[in-house]
Amino acid sequence: MRSSIRLKILGLSITPLILTLVTLLGMTSYWASTYSADQLDRKVRADLSVAEGFLKILEQQDLSNLKQLSLNQQLRESVERQQPSSISQQLYSFKALHRLDFVRLIPANNLSHRVLQEPSLGQIASRVLAANASAGLQLISPEELGVIDPELIDRVSITLHSTPRALPTSRDTERRGMFIRALHPVTNDEGVMIALLDSGRLLNRNNQFVDSIRDLVYRPGTLPDGGIGTVTLFLDDVRISTNVPNRQPNADLNDTHRALGTRVSQDVNKRVLQSGESWVDRAFVVNDWYISAYNPIEDLAGKRIGMLYTGFLEQPYRDIHRKTLIELLCAFAIVAIISILLILRSTGLITHPIRRIHNVVQAVKVGRRQRIGMMDTNDEFSELAEQFDTMLDLLEDRNRQIQQAADVLEHKVQSRTQSLQDKTRELEEHIRLLQATRAQLVTKEKLAALGELTAGIAHEINNPAAVILGNMDLLQDTLGDNAAEVEEEIEIIIQQVYRIRALVNNLLQYSRPGEYSQSLSPLNINQVLDDTLLLVRHTLEKQSLQVKLNLQATCSAEGNVQQLQQVFVNLVINAANATQGAGDILIRSHDWYDNHELKGVVVDVEDYGRGIAEGILPHIFDPFFTTRDNGTGLGLSVSYGIIRRYGGDIQVQSEQGQGSIFSVYLLQQARYNDNDQATAEQLLATLSEAQRKW
């Protein structure tokens, strides 16, 4: 496809501009994306640090408050005097003042028993028995909560919800509680521990905890419009305290719920909970993507029990990034359009002279006389136009001279070649006559050669056939009455010997059809077909083949019974060879009508074998043509010659892989044909080729 030079100049001019703009756009997009991602990761990492610091402050605050309580003189006196009511009153006031979920005092003499009874204390037994003050996170089972405060059992229970991208689980409820636990000893004036203060702040469903961190980290203005900042505390992979919204599929879009009981995604679970690493990256949280930071959290015994998470919605930042890219694309598009307009205006000054030259070239090409003339500019194009016009004038003069010389030459050629054409026609006629004469001579020579060959074949075959017949007579005489058991087989052998003689006689008919003939008589074709099946019975039984007869012919046909049996035996044997394994062969006979006139009988031999290839089908009646390794190629050729000699015909229909149908047309009154020249010439040509190979 041709393109104008103006477009090419435009392309050469604008390509560097487009490449520069695309490069700038790509670099800007990459820098903005990378910088933004790095900044967001830094922010969410800092948010997580604030959340962890807030958690540590709560732990230290509870420990400090518990320390103040342990120094209370009134409490110490109540413990030393063993005043349970006074101790309970002071603990209740302390619990209410600091909004704790449980506060208890364990006497020193009962501490060992408690350590053995309560697994959470048993995990830090060394600290407890050594009277070391400590604060941190701990998981407490429902059974242990029944000892500490039975009312807490229902408060810690959280139903688990199916969560996209989470690891499969068989659990349906989380019944353990996560507490900020503080332990501090109570000592007497001598510094001996007399009791242990134990307090716990439940974090399950503790919305105030996560909301306080969120309000501290994600104050108004720290996130873009539509941004949601979230904080979550996990017990293992379950959200036990969170402000992540869980939008229900059937709920109003403005109705949000806390995603309590949902679980962390599989990727985060493997890295943070299982491997103990931090996660700072985008992550799928419940039902949307968040810029997220996760850190594992451990209990007082150093065991990994959950995670602390902070994060914010990724969508608003994607919207900002997309909006920035669109604005950059618009700016680059405006610059590109302005540049293209300026380039087009400049290229017009260059391409205008070229277009004038091009128009003149096109006019001269179609035969019009046209010139460029004077150009508006005084530059190289003006000089080129003047030289081009001069060249066209010279070319026109030369063409005129060449045309005159061509006319003279053509007249001379025509006058000198006329006699040569006449002589050529005479030579062609002589060659045609010579070829016709040569063909006749070759045909006569082949007929003579075939006569000698077939005579020799008849002599060599008839002698063994006579010996076989003689020995069969001797065999019958020798066996006497015992010959009855094999009488049928002996008769078949004798019939086949006569059939061999008939085959030899048929071969002689190709070379000397006028000297060899068979007696013709009206035949019941149905009876001929029944007798034929007896000849091939053993062959069919050996292949487990069955012949289905549908003999409907009522008209007789004139022919020689042995020759017709030879034809039908060939067709049935060929059908058996074409059938793979067991199967059926269908033989039909019916009257032959042509234009409502009864002409004779039609016999169909149909098989359901492999069929005949389309390329082979035109040659199946050629003498010595066969596709079988042990075939002679004479069966169908001889059969075709016999039927044609009676004035009938053989037709075939075949589809490869579906089977074949051979149809034999026999006249009611045979029109014996002694001069089947086409068949004889075909057999002669094949015999000549076979002799050369032998």
Side-chain angles (χ1 to χ4, degrees), residues 461-654:
I461 293 179
N462 284 331
N463 288 340
V467 173
I468 294 173
L469 289 175
N471 281 281
M472 293 307 298
D473 292 337
L474 178 61
L475 180 63
Q476 285 181 309
D477 293 339
T478 303
L479 293 176
D481 295 337
N482 294 328
E485 297 180 0
V486 291
E487 184 69 27
E488 183 179 354
E489 284 74 11
I490 292 174
E491 289 298 327
I492 291 176
I493 293 173
I494 294 173
Q495 290 178 7
Q496 292 303 308
V497 172
Y498 281 112
R499 185 175 169 221
I500 291 172
R501 285 185 170 182
L503 288 174
V504 173
N505 293 335
N506 290 333
L507 185 60
L508 289 173
Q509 292 181 54
Y510 279 107
S511 60
R512 294 180 291 179
E515 300 177 6
Y516 189 87
S517 63
Q518 294 282 356
S519 60
L520 303 180
S521 61
L523 299 173
N524 183 346
I525 295 301
N526 295 338
Q527 184 61 45
V528 174
L529 290 172
D530 286 333
D531 295 340
T532 301
L533 291 180
L534 293 176
L535 301 178
V536 296
R537 182 185 63 185
H538 292 294
T539 301
L540 297 177
E541 290 177 352
K542 186 182 298 183
Q543 289 188 231
S544 300
L545 294 173
Q546 294 184 357
V547 178
K548 295 184 179 179
L549 297 176
N550 184 12
L551 307 179
Q552 302 293 332
T554 60
C555 178
S556 62
E558 192 174 17
N560 180 273
V561 63
Q562 291 183 349
Q563 290 182 338
L564 288 181
Q565 282 186 347
Q566 177 183 350
V567 171
F568 294 139
V569 166
N570 282 333
L571 295 180
V572 172
I573 293 300
N574 285 345
N577 291 332
T579 303
Q580 301 284 345
D584 297 332
I585 297 175
L586 178 60
I587 299 178
R588 298 185 296 267
S589 69
H590 56 88
D591 294 338
W592 175 18
Y593 288 90
D594 188 8
N595 294 328
H596 304 288
E597 178 185 355
L598 181 61
K599 299 192 68 176
V601 179
V602 179
V603 177
D604 296 328
V605 179
E606 181 177 359
D607 67 78
Y608 305 98
R610 57 180 174 268
I612 304 172
E614 185 177 355
I616 297 176
L617 198 59
H619 305 288
I620 61 173
F621 295 115
D622 293 349
F624 302 107
F625 178 83
T626 180
T627 58
R628 295 168 53 199
D629 294 338
N630 57 350
T632 63
L634 282 175
L636 287 178
S637 178
V638 170
S639 300
Y640 182 79
I642 292 171
I643 300 302
R644 292 288 291 176
R645 195 167 296 117
Y646 294 162
D649 193 13
I650 296 182
Q651 298 179 3
V652 60
Q653 300 176 14
S654 182

Side-chain angles (χ1 to χ4, degrees), residues 88-102:
S88 298
Q89 181 64 35
Q90 294 180 63
L91 294 179
Y92 179 80
S93 300
F94 181 82
K95 173 183 174 182
L97 176 63
H98 298 288
R99 298 181 180 181
L100 296 172
D101 291 284
F102 73 83

Side-chain angles (χ1 to χ4, degrees), residues 40-57:
L40 293 177
D41 289 347
R42 290 175 182 270
K43 173 175 172 51
V44 76
R45 187 181 287 109
D47 297 341
L48 182 60
S49 298
V50 173
E52 290 178 332
F54 186 83
L55 181 60
K56 291 296 182 183
I57 290 174

